[in-house]
Structures are given as structure tokens and as C-alpha cells.
Amino acid sequence: CEARQDRATTTTWLLSKSADRFTATVGIPDDGTAGASAAYSVLLDGAIVHEGVAAFGEATAVDLPVSGASQLAMRIEPITGERIDVAFGAAMLHGSEDGITRLVTR
């Protein structure tokens, strides 16, 4: 995901109520600028369920229940007024075999 200089950027995935849990590690990639940071939010069906600040050299684990959610979104907002890349590393959806199969076939 990328924070632009003048606005928030949101990326959305359709879950179709097929997943139970979302896990990821949030941070600024190693090729980013030292001292860079950006605010991030994780939303389920439009409601913020987790938020924080991604900072260069720091990683934050995210582990959230998503059962019953139709959409999962990540919103990135600039703090320093410059373009910042924020990585959701090893991002995974967890759920039943049937639920994950439904996601894969969509």
C-alpha cells in the first residue's frame, strides 16, 4: 500500500464472509527512508477495527478476527507529507477449508 502526499489510499478485498482471521506484519519496507512513517487502519465492512503507525525499522503484528465480514480494507495516510510505502507482509486469511476454497474460486 502507498500513502500519497495529499490523501489517504485504501485497498479493499472482498471476503464474502468466507474467512475467520486475518494476520499480517505491518511496516515500512527495508528499501524505505529512515525515519519514514505512515498511519494505517484496517477496516471490516467500513468500520475501523485496528489502527496504528507504521515506522521504518519497526514491525507490528496484526491478528484480527474477520468472521462474518464481507470486505477487508487497508487505509494508509501520510504523516510526513511525502509518498511512503507500507507493507502488510505475510498477509494471510485463515478459515475453514470450504471458506478458503470459496475465496480462491471467486
Side-chain angles (χ1 to χ4, degrees):
C1 297
E2 168 186 89
R4 300 276 182 165
Q5 291 93 338
D6 57 348
R7 63 180 161 78
T9 302
T10 303
T11 303
T12 303
W13 291 270
L14 298 177
L15 301 182
S16 303
K17 301 179 181 182
S18 296
D20 297 321
R21 209 169 109 229
F22 169 72
T23 59
T25 301
V26 182
I28 306 290
D30 291 342
D31 63 353
T33 303
S37 62
Y40 70 90
S41 303
V42 180
L43 299 88
L44 290 179
D45 296 334
I48 295 172
V49 295
H50 178 82
E51 56 190 343
V53 175
F56 184 81
E58 297 178 23
T60 302
V62 175
D63 188 341
L64 302 169
V66 298
S67 294
S70 295
Q71 294 183 347
L72 170 71
M74 280 83 153
R75 180 181 299 147
I76 308 300
E77 299 183 52
I79 293 176
T80 58
E82 59 187 272
R83 179 183 168 257
I84 304 288
D85 291 329
V86 175
F88 286 82
M92 295 186 76
L93 289 169
H94 306 265
S96 70
E97 186 174 338
D98 289 341
I100 300 303
T101 299
R102 280 194 304 275
L103 284 175
V104 171
T105 59
R106 288 178 192 256

Coordinates of all heavy atoms in Angstrom, one line a residue:
C1 N 0.9 -1.2 0.0 CA 0.0 0.0 0.0 C 0.9 1.2 0.0 O 2.0 1.2 0.4 CB -0.9 0.0 1.2 SG -2.0 -1.4 1.3
E2 N 0.3 2.3 -0.4 CA 1.1 3.5 -0.6 C 0.4 4.7 0.0 O -0.8 4.9 -0.3 CB 1.4 3.7 -2.1 CG 1.9 5.1 -2.5 CD 2.0 5.2 -4.0 OE1 1.0 5.6 -4.6 OE2 3.1 4.8 -4.5
A3 N 1.1 5.6 0.8 CA 0.5 6.8 1.3 C 1.0 7.9 0.3 O 2.1 8.1 0.1 CB 1.0 7.1 2.7
R4 N 0.0 8.6 -0.2 CA 0.4 9.8 -1.1 C 0.5 11.0 -0.3 O 0.1 11.1 0.9 CB -0.8 10.0 -2.1 CG -1.1 8.8 -3.0 CD -0.1 8.8 -4.2 NE -0.4 7.7 -5.0 CZ 0.0 7.6 -6.2 NH1 0.7 8.5 -6.7 NH2 -0.3 6.5 -7.0
Q5 N 1.1 12.1 -0.9 CA 1.3 13.3 -0.2 C 0.1 14.0 0.3 O 0.0 14.6 1.4 CB 2.1 14.3 -1.1 CG 3.5 13.9 -1.4 CD 3.6 13.1 -2.7 OE1 2.6 12.6 -3.2 NE2 4.8 13.1 -3.3
D6 N -1.0 13.9 -0.4 CA -2.2 14.7 -0.1 C -3.5 14.0 0.3 O -4.5 14.6 0.5 CB -2.5 15.6 -1.4 CG -2.7 14.7 -2.6 OD1 -2.4 13.5 -2.6 OD2 -3.2 15.3 -3.6
R7 N -3.4 12.6 0.3 CA -4.7 11.9 0.6 C -4.4 10.5 1.1 O -3.3 10.0 0.9 CB -5.6 11.9 -0.6 CG -5.0 11.1 -1.8 CD -5.9 11.1 -3.0 NE -5.2 10.8 -4.2 CZ -4.8 9.6 -4.5 NH1 -5.0 8.6 -3.8 NH2 -4.1 9.4 -5.7
A8 N -5.4 9.9 1.7 CA -5.3 8.6 2.2 C -5.5 7.7 0.9 O -6.2 8.0 0.0 CB -6.4 8.3 3.2
T9 N -4.9 6.5 1.0 CA -5.1 5.5 0.0 C -5.7 4.2 0.6 O -5.2 3.8 1.7 CB -3.7 5.1 -0.6 OG1 -3.1 6.3 -1.2 CG2 -3.9 4.1 -1.7
T10 N -6.7 3.7 0.0 CA -7.4 2.5 0.5 C -7.4 1.4 -0.5 O -7.7 1.6 -1.7 CB -8.9 2.8 0.9 OG1 -8.8 3.9 1.9 CG2 -9.5 1.6 1.6
T11 N -7.1 0.2 0.0 CA -7.1 -1.0 -0.9 C -8.1 -2.0 -0.2 O -8.0 -2.2 1.0 CB -5.8 -1.7 -1.0 OG1 -4.8 -0.8 -1.5 CG2 -5.8 -2.9 -1.8
T12 N -9.1 -2.5 -1.0 CA -10.1 -3.3 -0.4 C -10.2 -4.7 -1.1 O -10.0 -4.8 -2.3 CB -11.5 -2.6 -0.6 OG1 -11.4 -1.3 0.0 CG2 -12.6 -3.4 0.0
W13 N -10.4 -5.7 -0.3 CA -10.6 -7.1 -0.7 C -12.0 -7.6 -0.3 O -12.4 -7.3 0.8 CB -9.5 -8.0 -0.1 CG -8.2 -7.8 -0.7 CD1 -7.6 -8.3 -1.8 CD2 -7.2 -6.9 -0.1 NE1 -6.3 -7.8 -1.9 CE2 -6.1 -6.9 -0.9 CE3 -7.2 -6.0 1.0 CZ2 -5.0 -6.2 -0.7 CZ3 -6.1 -5.3 1.3 CH2 -5.0 -5.3 0.4
L14 N -12.6 -8.4 -1.2 CA -13.9 -9.0 -0.9 C -13.7 -10.3 -0.2 O -13.0 -11.2 -0.7 CB -14.7 -9.2 -2.2 CG -15.1 -7.9 -2.9 CD1 -15.8 -8.3 -4.2 CD2 -15.9 -7.0 -2.1
L15 N -14.2 -10.4 1.0 CA -14.1 -11.7 1.8 C -15.3 -12.5 1.6 O -15.3 -13.7 1.9 CB -13.9 -11.4 3.3 CG -12.7 -10.5 3.6 CD1 -12.6 -10.4 5.1 CD2 -11.4 -11.2 3.1
S16 N -16.5 -12.0 1.3 CA -17.7 -12.7 1.1 C -18.0 -13.6 2.3 O -18.5 -14.7 2.1 CB -17.7 -13.5 -0.2 OG -17.4 -12.7 -1.3
K17 N -17.7 -13.1 3.5 CA -18.0 -13.8 4.7 C -17.4 -15.2 4.8 O -17.9 -16.2 5.4 CB -19.5 -13.9 5.0 CG -20.1 -12.5 5.1 CD -21.6 -12.6 5.3 CE -22.2 -11.2 5.4 NZ -23.6 -11.2 5.7
S18 N -16.2 -15.4 4.1 CA -15.6 -16.7 3.9 C -14.4 -17.0 4.7 O -13.8 -18.0 4.7 CB -15.3 -17.0 2.4 OG -16.5 -17.0 1.7
A19 N -13.9 -15.9 5.5 CA -12.7 -16.1 6.3 C -13.0 -15.8 7.7 O -14.0 -15.2 8.1 CB -11.6 -15.1 5.8
D20 N -12.1 -16.4 8.6 CA -12.3 -16.2 10.0 C -11.3 -15.3 10.7 O -11.6 -14.6 11.7 CB -12.2 -17.6 10.7 CG -13.3 -18.5 10.3 OD1 -14.4 -18.0 10.1 OD2 -13.0 -19.7 10.1
R21 N -10.1 -15.2 10.1 CA -9.0 -14.4 10.8 C -8.1 -13.8 9.7 O -7.9 -14.4 8.7 CB -8.2 -15.4 11.7 CG -7.6 -14.7 12.8 CD -7.1 -15.8 13.8 NE -5.6 -15.8 13.7 CZ -4.8 -16.8 13.6 NH1 -5.3 -18.1 13.5 NH2 -3.5 -16.7 13.5
F22 N -7.5 -12.7 10.0 CA -6.5 -12.0 9.1 C -5.3 -11.8 10.0 O -5.3 -11.2 11.1 CB -7.1 -10.7 8.6 CG -6.0 -9.8 7.9 CD1 -5.6 -10.2 6.7 CD2 -5.6 -8.7 8.5 CE1 -4.6 -9.4 6.1 CE2 -4.6 -7.9 7.9 CZ -4.1 -8.3 6.7
T23 N -4.1 -12.2 9.4 CA -2.9 -11.9 10.1 C -1.9 -11.3 9.1 O -1.9 -11.5 7.9 CB -2.2 -13.2 10.6 OG1 -2.0 -14.1 9.6 CG2 -3.1 -13.9 11.7
A24 N -1.0 -10.4 9.6 CA 0.0 -9.7 8.8 C 1.0 -9.1 9.7 O 0.8 -9.0 10.9 CB -0.6 -8.7 7.9
T25 N 2.1 -8.7 9.1 CA 3.1 -7.9 9.8 C 3.2 -6.6 9.0 O 3.4 -6.6 7.8 CB 4.5 -8.6 9.8 OG1 4.4 -9.8 10.5 CG2 5.5 -7.7 10.5
V26 N 3.0 -5.4 9.7 CA 2.9 -4.1 9.1 C 4.2 -3.4 9.4 O 4.7 -3.3 10.5 CB 1.7 -3.3 9.6 CG1 1.7 -2.0 8.9 CG2 0.5 -4.1 9.5
G27 N 4.8 -2.7 8.3 CA 6.0 -1.9 8.5 C 6.3 -1.2 7.2 O 5.7 -1.4 6.2
I28 N 7.4 -0.4 7.2 CA 7.9 0.2 6.1 C 9.0 -0.7 5.5 O 9.8 -1.2 6.2 CB 8.6 1.6 6.5 CG1 7.6 2.5 7.3 CG2 9.2 2.3 5.3 CD1 6.5 3.0 6.5
P29 N 9.0 -1.0 4.2 CA 10.0 -1.9 3.6 C 11.4 -1.5 3.9 O 11.7 -0.3 4.1 CB 9.6 -1.9 2.1 CG 8.2 -1.5 2.1 CD 8.0 -0.5 3.2
D30 N 12.3 -2.4 3.8 CA 13.7 -2.1 4.1 C 14.3 -1.1 3.1 O 15.3 -0.5 3.5 CB 14.5 -3.4 4.0 CG 14.2 -4.4 5.2 OD1 13.6 -3.9 6.2 OD2 14.5 -5.6 5.1
D31 N 13.8 -1.0 1.9 CA 14.3 0.0 1.0 C 13.7 1.4 1.2 O 13.9 2.3 0.4 CB 14.2 -0.5 -0.5 CG 12.8 -0.7 -0.9 OD1 11.8 -0.6 -0.1 OD2 12.6 -1.0 -2.1
G32 N 12.9 1.5 2.2 CA 12.3 2.8 2.5 C 13.3 3.8 3.1 O 14.5 3.5 3.3
T33 N 12.8 5.0 3.5 CA 13.6 6.0 4.0 C 13.7 6.0 5.5 O 12.6 5.9 6.2 CB 13.0 7.4 3.6 OG1 13.0 7.5 2.2 CG2 13.9 8.6 4.1
A34 N 14.8 6.0 6.1 CA 15.0 6.0 7.6 C 14.2 7.2 8.1 O 14.2 8.3 7.6 CB 16.4 6.2 8.0
G35 N 13.4 7.0 9.2 CA 12.6 8.0 9.8 C 11.2 8.1 9.2 O 10.3 8.9 9.7
A36 N 10.9 7.4 8.1 CA 9.6 7.4 7.4 C 8.6 6.8 8.3 O 8.8 5.8 9.0 CB 9.7 6.8 6.1
S37 N 7.3 7.3 8.3 CA 6.2 6.7 9.0 C 4.9 7.1 8.3 O 4.8 8.1 7.5 CB 6.2 7.2 10.4 OG 6.0 8.6 10.5
A38 N 3.9 6.3 8.5 CA 2.6 6.5 7.9 C 1.5 5.8 8.8 O 1.8 4.8 9.4 CB 2.5 5.9 6.5
A39 N 0.4 6.5 8.9 CA -0.7 5.9 9.7 C -1.4 4.9 8.9 O -1.5 5.0 7.7 CB -1.6 7.0 10.1
Y40 N -1.8 3.8 9.5 CA -2.6 2.8 8.8 C -3.8 2.4 9.6 O -3.8 2.5 10.8 CB -1.8 1.6 8.5 CG -1.4 0.7 9.7 CD1 -2.2 -0.3 10.1 CD2 -0.2 1.0 10.4 CE1 -1.9 -1.1 11.2 CE2 0.1 0.2 11.5 CZ -0.8 -0.8 11.9 OH -0.5 -1.5 13.0
S41 N -4.8 2.0 8.9 CA -6.1 1.4 9.5 C -6.5 0.2 8.8 O -6.3 0.1 7.6 CB -7.2 2.4 9.4 OG -6.9 3.7 10.0
V42 N -7.0 -0.8 9.5 CA -7.6 -2.0 8.9 C -9.1 -1.8 9.2 O -9.6 -1.6 10.3 CB -7.1 -3.3 9.6 CG1 -7.7 -4.5 8.9 CG2 -5.6 -3.3 9.4
L43 N -9.9 -2.0 8.1 CA -11.4 -1.8 8.3 C -12.1 -3.1 7.9 O -11.6 -3.8 6.9 CB -11.9 -0.7 7.3 CG -11.3 0.7 7.6 CD1 -10.0 0.9 6.9 CD2 -12.3 1.7 7.2
L44 N -13.1 -3.4 8.5 CA -14.0 -4.5 8.2 C -15.4 -3.9 7.9 O -16.0 -3.2 8.7 CB -14.1 -5.5 9.3 CG -12.9 -6.4 9.6 CD1 -13.2 -7.3 10.7 CD2 -12.5 -7.2 8.3
D45 N -15.9 -4.1 6.7 CA -17.2 -3.6 6.2 C -17.3 -2.1 6.6 O -18.3 -1.6 7.0 CB -18.3 -4.4 6.9 CG -18.3 -5.8 6.4 OD1 -17.8 -6.1 5.3 OD2 -18.8 -6.7 7.1
G46 N -16.2 -1.4 6.4 CA -16.2 0.1 6.5 C -15.9 0.6 7.9 O -15.7 1.8 8.1
A47 N -15.8 -0.3 8.9 CA -15.6 0.2 10.3 C -14.1 -0.1 10.6 O -13.6 -1.2 10.4 CB -16.5 -0.6 11.2
I48 N -13.4 0.8 11.3 CA -12.0 0.6 11.7 C -12.0 -0.4 12.8 O -12.7 -0.2 13.8 CB -11.4 2.0 12.1 CG1 -11.3 2.9 10.9 CG2 -10.0 1.7 12.7 CD1 -10.8 4.3 11.3
V49 N -11.2 -1.4 12.7 CA -11.1 -2.5 13.7 C -9.6 -2.5 14.3 O -9.4 -3.1 15.3 CB -11.5 -3.9 13.2 CG1 -13.0 -3.9 12.9 CG2 -10.6 -4.3 12.0
H50 N -8.7 -1.8 13.6 CA -7.3 -1.8 14.1 C -6.7 -0.6 13.4 O -6.9 -0.3 12.2 CB -6.6 -3.1 13.7 CG -5.2 -3.0 14.1 ND1 -4.7 -3.3 15.4 CD2 -4.0 -2.8 13.4 CE1 -3.4 -3.3 15.5 NE2 -3.0 -2.9 14.3
E51 N -5.9 0.2 14.2 CA -5.1 1.3 13.6 C -3.8 1.4 14.3 O -3.6 1.0 15.4 CB -5.9 2.6 13.5 CG -6.4 3.0 14.9 CD -7.4 4.2 14.7 OE1 -7.4 4.8 13.7 OE2 -8.1 4.4 15.7
G52 N -2.8 2.0 13.6 CA -1.5 2.2 14.2 C -0.7 3.1 13.3 O -1.2 3.7 12.3
V53 N 0.6 3.2 13.6 CA 1.6 3.9 12.8 C 2.7 2.9 12.4 O 3.3 2.3 13.2 CB 2.2 5.1 13.6 CG1 3.3 5.8 12.8 CG2 1.1 6.1 13.9
A54 N 2.9 2.8 11.1 CA 4.0 2.0 10.5 C 5.2 2.9 10.5 O 5.1 4.1 10.0 CB 3.6 1.5 9.1
A55 N 6.3 2.5 11.1 CA 7.5 3.3 11.1 C 8.7 2.4 10.6 O 8.8 1.2 10.8 CB 7.8 3.7 12.5
F56 N 9.6 3.1 9.9 CA 10.8 2.5 9.3 C 11.6 1.8 10.5 O 11.8 2.4 11.5 CB 11.7 3.4 8.6 CG 12.9 2.8 7.9 CD1 12.7 2.2 6.7 CD2 14.1 2.8 8.5 CE1 13.8 1.6 6.1 CE2 15.2 2.2 7.9 CZ 15.1 1.6 6.7
G57 N 12.0 0.5 10.3 CA 12.8 -0.2 11.3 C 11.9 -0.8 12.3 O 12.5 -1.5 13.2
E58 N 10.6 -0.7 12.3 CA 9.7 -1.4 13.3 C 8.7 -2.2 12.5 O 8.2 -1.8 11.5 CB 9.0 -0.3 14.1 CG 9.9 0.6 14.9 CD 9.2 1.6 15.7 OE1 8.0 1.5 16.0 OE2 9.8 2.6 16.0
A59 N 8.3 -3.3 13.1 CA 7.3 -4.2 12.6 C 6.2 -4.4 13.6 O 6.5 -4.6 14.8 CB 7.9 -5.5 12.1
T60 N 5.0 -4.4 13.2 CA 3.9 -4.6 14.1 C 3.0 -5.8 13.6 O 2.7 -5.8 12.4 CB 3.0 -3.4 14.1 OG1 3.7 -2.2 14.5 CG2 1.8 -3.5 15.1
A61 N 2.8 -6.7 14.5 CA 1.9 -7.9 14.2 C 0.5 -7.5 14.3 O 0.1 -6.8 15.2 CB 2.2 -9.0 15.1
V62 N -0.3 -7.9 13.3 CA -1.7 -7.7 13.3 C -2.4 -9.1 13.2 O -2.0 -10.0 12.4 CB -2.2 -6.9 12.0 CG1 -3.7 -6.8 11.9 CG2 -1.5 -5.5 12.1
D63 N -3.3 -9.4 14.1 CA -4.1 -10.6 14.2 C -5.5 -10.3 14.5 O -5.8 -9.9 15.7 CB -3.4 -11.6 15.2 CG -4.0 -13.0 15.2 OD1 -5.1 -13.2 14.6 OD2 -3.3 -13.9 15.7
L64 N -6.4 -10.3 13.6 CA -7.8 -9.9 13.8 C -8.8 -10.9 13.4 O -8.7 -11.6 12.3 CB -8.0 -8.6 12.9 CG -7.1 -7.4 13.2 CD1 -7.3 -6.4 12.1 CD2 -7.4 -6.8 14.5
P65 N -9.9 -11.0 14.1 CA -11.0 -11.8 13.7 C -11.7 -11.1 12.6 O -11.9 -9.9 12.6 CB -11.9 -12.0 15.0 CG -11.5 -10.8 15.8 CD -10.1 -10.4 15.5
V66 N -12.1 -11.9 11.5 CA -12.9 -11.3 10.4 C -14.1 -12.1 10.1 O -14.7 -11.9 9.0 CB -12.0 -11.2 9.2 CG1 -10.8 -10.2 9.4 CG2 -11.5 -12.5 8.7
S67 N -14.5 -13.0 11.0 CA -15.7 -13.8 10.7 C -16.9 -13.0 10.4 O -17.2 -12.0 11.1 CB -16.0 -14.7 11.9 OG -15.0 -15.6 12.1
G68 N -17.6 -13.3 9.4 CA -18.9 -12.6 9.0 C -18.7 -11.3 8.2 O -19.6 -10.7 7.8
A69 N -17.4 -10.9 8.0 CA -17.1 -9.7 7.2 C -17.2 -9.9 5.7 O -16.8 -11.0 5.2 CB -15.8 -9.1 7.6
S70 N -17.8 -9.0 5.0 CA -17.8 -9.0 3.6 C -16.6 -8.4 2.9 O -16.2 -8.8 1.8 CB -19.1 -8.3 3.1 OG -20.3 -9.0 3.5
Q71 N -16.1 -7.3 3.5 CA -14.9 -6.6 3.0 C -13.8 -6.4 4.0 O -14.1 -6.1 5.2 CB -15.3 -5.3 2.4 CG -16.3 -5.4 1.2 CD -16.6 -4.0 0.7 OE1 -16.3 -3.0 1.3 NE2 -17.2 -3.9 -0.5
L72 N -12.6 -6.5 3.6 CA -11.4 -6.1 4.4 C -10.7 -5.0 3.6 O -10.5 -5.2 2.4 CB -10.5 -7.4 4.5 CG -9.1 -7.1 5.1 CD1 -9.2 -6.8 6.6 CD2 -8.2 -8.3 4.9
A73 N -10.4 -4.0 4.3 CA -9.7 -2.8 3.7 C -8.5 -2.4 4.5 O -8.5 -2.5 5.7 CB -10.7 -1.7 3.4
M74 N -7.5 -1.9 3.8 CA -6.3 -1.3 4.5 C -6.3 0.2 4.0 O -6.3 0.4 2.8 CB -5.0 -2.0 4.1 CG -4.8 -3.2 4.9 SD -5.7 -4.5 4.2 CE -4.7 -5.9 4.7
R75 N -6.2 1.1 4.9 CA -6.1 2.5 4.6 C -4.8 3.0 5.1 O -4.4 2.8 6.3 CB -7.2 3.3 5.2 CG -7.2 4.8 4.9 CD -8.3 5.6 5.5 NE -9.6 5.1 5.1 CZ -10.7 5.1 5.8 NH1 -10.7 5.5 7.0 NH2 -11.8 4.6 5.3
I76 N -4.0 3.7 4.2 CA -2.7 4.3 4.6 C -2.9 5.8 4.4 O -3.4 6.3 3.4 CB -1.6 3.8 3.6 CG1 -1.6 2.3 3.5 CG2 -0.3 4.3 4.0 CD1 -1.4 1.6 4.8
E77 N -2.4 6.6 5.4 CA -2.4 8.0 5.4 C -1.0 8.6 5.7 O -0.3 8.1 6.6 CB -3.4 8.6 6.5 CG -4.8 8.1 6.2 CD -5.8 8.7 7.2 OE1 -5.8 9.9 7.3 OE2 -6.5 7.9 7.8
P78 N -0.6 9.6 4.9 CA 0.7 10.2 5.1 C 0.8 11.0 6.4 O -0.2 11.5 6.9 CB 0.9 11.1 3.9 CG -0.5 11.4 3.5 CD -1.3 10.2 3.8
I79 N 1.9 10.9 7.0 CA 2.2 11.7 8.3 C 3.2 12.8 7.9 O 3.0 14.0 8.3 CB 2.7 10.9 9.4 CG1 1.7 9.9 9.9 CG2 3.2 11.7 10.6 CD1 2.2 8.9 10.9
T80 N 4.2 12.5 7.1 CA 5.3 13.4 6.9 C 5.1 14.2 5.6 O 6.0 15.0 5.3 CB 6.6 12.7 6.8 OG1 6.5 11.7 5.8 CG2 6.9 12.0 8.2
G81 N 4.0 14.1 4.9 CA 3.8 14.8 3.7 C 4.5 14.3 2.4 O 4.6 15.0 1.4
E82 N 5.1 13.1 2.5 CA 5.7 12.5 1.4 C 5.1 11.2 1.0 O 4.4 10.6 1.8 CB 7.2 12.4 1.6 CG 7.5 11.5 2.8 CD 9.0 11.5 3.2 OE1 9.7 10.7 2.7 OE2 9.4 12.3 4.1
R83 N 5.5 10.6 -0.1 CA 5.0 9.3 -0.5 C 5.7 8.3 0.3 O 6.9 8.2 0.4 CB 5.2 9.0 -2.0 CG 4.8 7.7 -2.4 CD 5.1 7.4 -3.9 NE 4.9 6.0 -4.2 CZ 5.9 5.2 -4.3 NH1 7.2 5.6 -4.2 NH2 5.7 3.9 -4.5
I84 N 4.9 7.4 1.0 CA 5.5 6.3 1.8 C 4.9 5.0 1.4 O 3.7 4.9 1.3 CB 5.2 6.6 3.3 CG1 5.7 7.9 3.8 CG2 5.8 5.4 4.2 CD1 7.2 8.1 3.9
D85 N 5.7 4.0 1.2 CA 5.2 2.6 1.0 C 5.1 1.9 2.3 O 6.0 2.0 3.2 CB 6.1 1.8 0.1 CG 6.1 2.3 -1.3 OD1 5.1 2.8 -1.8 OD2 7.2 2.2 -2.0
V86 N 3.9 1.3 2.6 CA 3.7 0.5 3.8 C 3.4 -1.0 3.3 O 2.6 -1.2 2.5 CB 2.5 1.0 4.6 CG1 2.2 0.1 5.8 CG2 2.8 2.5 5.0
A87 N 4.1 -1.9 4.0 CA 4.0 -3.3 3.6 C 3.1 -4.0 4.6 O 3.3 -3.8 5.8 CB 5.3 -4.0 3.5
F88 N 2.2 -4.9 4.2 CA 1.5 -5.8 5.0 C 2.1 -7.2 4.7 O 1.6 -7.9 3.8 CB 0.0 -5.8 4.7 CG -0.7 -4.5 5.3 CD1 -0.7 -3.3 4.6 CD2 -1.3 -4.6 6.5 CE1 -1.3 -2.2 5.1 CE2 -2.0 -3.5 7.1 CZ -1.9 -2.3 6.4
G89 N 3.2 -7.5 5.3 CA 4.0 -8.7 5.0 C 3.3 -9.9 5.5 O 2.7 -9.9 6.5
A90 N 3.5 -11.0 4.8 CA 3.0 -12.3 5.1 C 1.5 -12.2 5.4 O 1.0 -13.0 6.3 CB 3.7 -12.9 6.3
A91 N 0.8 -11.4 4.7 CA -0.7 -11.2 5.0 C -1.4 -12.5 4.6 O -1.2 -13.0 3.5 CB -1.2 -10.1 4.2
M92 N -2.2 -13.0 5.5 CA -2.9 -14.3 5.3 C -4.3 -14.2 5.8 O -4.6 -13.6 6.9 CB -2.2 -15.4 6.0 CG -0.8 -15.7 5.4 SD -0.1 -17.2 6.1 CE -1.1 -18.4 5.3
L93 N -5.2 -14.8 5.1 CA -6.6 -15.1 5.6 C -6.7 -16.5 6.1 O -6.2 -17.4 5.4 CB -7.6 -14.8 4.5 CG -7.8 -13.4 4.1 CD1 -8.6 -13.2 2.9 CD2 -8.4 -12.6 5.3
H94 N -7.3 -16.7 7.2 CA -7.4 -18.1 7.8 C -8.9 -18.4 7.9 O -9.7 -17.5 8.1 CB -6.8 -18.1 9.2 CG -5.4 -17.7 9.2 ND1 -4.3 -18.5 9.2 CD2 -4.9 -16.4 9.3 CE1 -3.2 -17.8 9.2 NE2 -3.5 -16.6 9.4
G95 N -9.2 -19.7 7.7 CA -10.6 -20.1 7.8 C -10.8 -21.5 7.5 O -9.8 -22.3 7.3
S96 N -12.0 -22.0 7.4 CA -12.3 -23.4 7.1 C -11.8 -23.7 5.7 O -11.7 -22.8 4.8 CB -13.8 -23.6 7.3 OG -14.5 -23.0 6.2
E97 N -11.7 -24.9 5.4 CA -11.3 -25.3 4.0 C -12.3 -24.9 3.0 O -12.0 -24.4 2.0 CB -11.1 -26.9 4.0 CG -10.6 -27.4 2.7 CD -10.3 -28.8 2.6 OE1 -10.1 -29.4 3.7 OE2 -10.3 -29.4 1.5
D98 N -13.6 -25.0 3.4 CA -14.7 -24.6 2.5 C -14.7 -23.1 2.2 O -14.8 -22.6 1.1 CB -16.1 -25.0 3.0 CG -16.3 -26.5 3.0 OD1 -15.6 -27.2 2.2 OD2 -17.2 -27.0 3.7
G99 N -14.5 -22.3 3.3 CA -14.4 -20.9 3.2 C -13.3 -20.4 2.3 O -13.5 -19.5 1.5
I100 N -12.1 -20.9 2.6 CA -10.9 -20.5 1.8 C -11.1 -21.0 0.3 O -10.7 -20.2 -0.6 CB -9.6 -21.0 2.4 CG1 -9.5 -20.5 3.8 CG2 -8.4 -20.7 1.5 CD1 -9.5 -19.0 3.9
T101 N -11.7 -22.1 0.1 CA -11.9 -22.6 -1.3 C -12.9 -21.6 -2.0 O -12.6 -21.3 -3.2 CB -12.5 -24.0 -1.3 OG1 -11.5 -24.9 -0.7 CG2 -12.8 -24.5 -2.7
R102 N -13.9 -21.1 -1.3 CA -14.8 -20.1 -1.9 C -14.0 -18.9 -2.3 O -14.3 -18.3 -3.4 CB -15.9 -19.8 -0.9 CG -17.1 -20.8 -0.9 CD -18.3 -20.2 -0.2 NE -18.1 -19.8 1.1 CZ -18.1 -20.5 2.2 NH1 -18.3 -21.8 2.1 NH2 -17.9 -20.0 3.4
L103 N -13.1 -18.4 -1.5 CA -12.3 -17.2 -1.8 C -11.5 -17.5 -3.0 O -11.4 -16.6 -3.9 CB -11.4 -16.8 -0.6 CG -12.1 -16.2 0.6 CD1 -11.0 -16.0 1.7 CD2 -12.7 -14.8 0.2
V104 N -10.8 -18.6 -3.1 CA -9.9 -18.9 -4.2 C -10.7 -19.0 -5.5 O -10.2 -18.6 -6.6 CB -9.2 -20.2 -3.9 CG1 -8.4 -20.7 -5.2 CG2 -8.2 -20.1 -2.8
T105 N -11.9 -19.5 -5.5 CA -12.7 -19.7 -6.8 C -13.4 -18.4 -7.2 O -14.0 -18.4 -8.3 CB -13.7 -20.8 -6.6 OG1 -14.6 -20.5 -5.5 CG2 -13.0 -22.1 -6.4
R106 N -13.3 -17.3 -6.4 CA -14.0 -16.1 -6.8 C -13.1 -15.2 -7.7 O -12.0 -15.1 -7.6 CB -14.5 -15.3 -5.6 CG -15.6 -16.0 -5.0 CD -16.1 -15.3 -3.8 NE -17.0 -16.2 -3.1 CZ -18.3 -16.0 -3.0 NH1 -18.9 -15.0 -3.7 NH2 -19.1 -16.9 -2.4

